[in-house]
């Protein structure tokens, strides 16, 4: 099986999560320049904005980077063509089935890595020609599935023969080691990067992640089919109240979710904003540079020191 560092032409087997409104060219370029795979998010953006982000990233790094396509977005199809025009080398997908785009991306030589929350989706997408699979446990921030990273990663490793990348709960070298022991060949990180100097979010958001305890996140929308993990606040309580009876439309929730995410990201509104973050927020203790975060994860890894 191909090493994902070789597959992606990167130094560390660490991929950045495609966080909507957060994973801009600044963050993507910083992660790629630090030796991981940076990603530009697309959630909430139109094709023009994503193209501009791709071009700015190319100016900031000559290392490989990718685009994460949030498949629930109306602009997903247009973006799926634009990334071919722009010569993007890697695509990760989330919140849906990328099957219909797979053929044209593969034909264009793009490395395709879907994010999935279950064994069934992992199997289906491996069969459709994915190059690797990101298996995301329910510890992750944002839109999530039900199973934990600890149980999901080995179950997926047992049934597919392409590299598995673990996501959800990884914020340090112990997380990377645990993922590798479970059979993963790489990790995706998001929450720990929220608390990075280069992350273009409001300082209040970064500080809230640093302050978070183990029990500070909550999952909204479990009963509506769109579960989203956020840090508990007034907004999360309101959201839980609104979705109590599961009779609200998914589209309405999407607008509410992305709108309130912007409040947290740009205005630093920690009461009415949606502060998406994973359970690993409890592990994040300070704001560091992206390079310090990646060096720390990789260089302290016992797997890479040959101790495990
Ligand atoms: O996509 C994510 N995380 C996200 S997306 C996001 S923005 C958002 N906007 C509005 C409402 C909700 C979220 C914030 N965080 N992670 C990857 C992920 N993919 N998690 C779960 C899935 C998933 C779900 C269903 C993947 C495939 C899938 O298949 C469904 C199908 O129909 O095939």
């Amino acid at each position: 099986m191909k090493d994902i560092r070789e597959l992606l032409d990167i130094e560390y087997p660490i991929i950045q999560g495609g966080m909507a409104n957060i994973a801009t060219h600044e963050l993507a370029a910083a992660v790629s320049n630090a030796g991981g795979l940076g990603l530009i998010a697309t959630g909430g953006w139109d094709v023009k904005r994503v193209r501009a982000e791709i071009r700015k990233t190319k100016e900031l790094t000559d290392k490989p980077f990718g685009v994460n396509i949030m498949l629930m977005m109306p602009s997903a199809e247009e973006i799926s063509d634009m990334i071919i025009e722009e010569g993007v080398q890697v695509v990760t997908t989330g919140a849906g089935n990328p099957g219909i785009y797979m053929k044209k991306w593969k034909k264009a030589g793009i490395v395709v890595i879907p994010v999935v929350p279950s064994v069934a989706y992992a199997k289906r997408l491996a069969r459709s020609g994915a190059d690797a699979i990101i298996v995301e446990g329910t510890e992750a921030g944002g839109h999530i599935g039900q199973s934990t990273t600890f149980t999901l990663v080995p179950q997926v490793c047992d049934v597919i023969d392409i590299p598995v990348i673990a996501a959800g709960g990884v914020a340090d070298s112990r997380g990377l080691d645990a993922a590798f022991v479970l059979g993963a060949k790489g990790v995706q990180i998001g929450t720990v990067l929220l608390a990075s100097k280069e992350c273009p979010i409001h300082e209040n958001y970064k500080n809230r992640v640093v302050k978070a305890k183990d029990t500070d996140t909550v999952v909204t929308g479990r009963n509506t089919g769109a579960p989203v993990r956020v840090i508990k606040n007034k907004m999360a309580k309101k959201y839980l109240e609104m979705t109590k009876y599961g009779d609200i439309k998914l589209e309405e929730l999407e607008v509410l979710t992305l709108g309130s995410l912007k409040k947290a990201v740009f205005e630093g509104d920690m009461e009415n904003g949606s502060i998406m973050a994973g359970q690993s927020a409890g592990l994040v203790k300070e704001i560091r540079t992206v390079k310090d975060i990646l060096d720390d994860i990789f260089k302290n890894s016992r797997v890479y020191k040959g101790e495990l």
Side-chain angles (χ1 to χ4, degrees), residues 50-238:
V50 180
R51 196 193 290 272
E53 291 292 328
I54 292 171
R55 293 191 175 167
K56 284 188 215 159
T57 309
K58 286 178 188 162
E59 282 169 21
L60 295 176
T61 185
D62 49 18
K63 301 263 175 65
F65 66 90
V67 171
N68 170 265
I69 303 196
M70 210 287 220
L71 295 165
M72 250 176 11
M73 294 301 297
S75 55
E77 185 168 359
E78 250 188 300
I79 293 172
S80 76
D81 287 322
M82 179 274 289
I83 59 165
I84 298 176
E85 287 163 26
E86 289 295 320
V88 167
Q89 290 154 289
V90 185
V91 61
T92 67
T93 64
N97 182 356
I100 51 166
Y101 307 127
M102 202 73 104
K103 222 164 142 187
K104 70 178 177 199
W105 286 340
K106 298 301 307 169
K107 197 167 154 229
I110 297 178
V111 174
V112 184
I113 314 182
V115 181
V116 302
S118 71
V119 175
Y121 286 134
K123 265 167 111 169
R124 193 197 301 165
L125 291 164
R127 268 202 307 269
S128 312
D131 295 281
I133 300 275
I134 298 170
V135 173
E136 189 180 82
T138 197
E139 296 92 322
H143 182 56
I144 48 168
Q146 291 215 336
S147 303
T148 60
T149 306
F150 206 98
T151 55
L152 201 49
V153 169
Q155 290 184 80
V156 173
C157 289
D158 279 346
V159 293
I160 65 174
D161 55 10
I162 53 175
V164 168
I165 295 158
V170 181
D172 59 25
S173 58
R174 295 166 298 180
L176 180 126
D177 285 342
F180 274 67
V181 169
L182 295 173
K185 300 291 180 210
V187 292
Q188 176 184 276
I189 55 171
T191 300
V192 66
L193 291 171
L194 293 173
S196 68
K197 293 215 163 72
E198 294 90 337
C199 188
I201 59 176
H202 199 283
E203 288 300 308
N204 293 354
Y205 200 140
K206 298 185 188 184
N207 291 330
R208 185 64 193 88
V209 171
V210 168
K211 214 180 73 187
K213 299 193 302 288
D214 56 342
T215 52
D216 278 0
T217 70
V218 68
V219 180
T220 58
R222 272 262 191 241
N223 61 339
T224 61
V228 173
R229 184 179 299 282
V230 293
I231 292 181
K232 255 185 262 177
N233 64 359
K234 192 168 133 195
M235 170 65 195
K237 282 182 201 138
K238 180 177 150 202

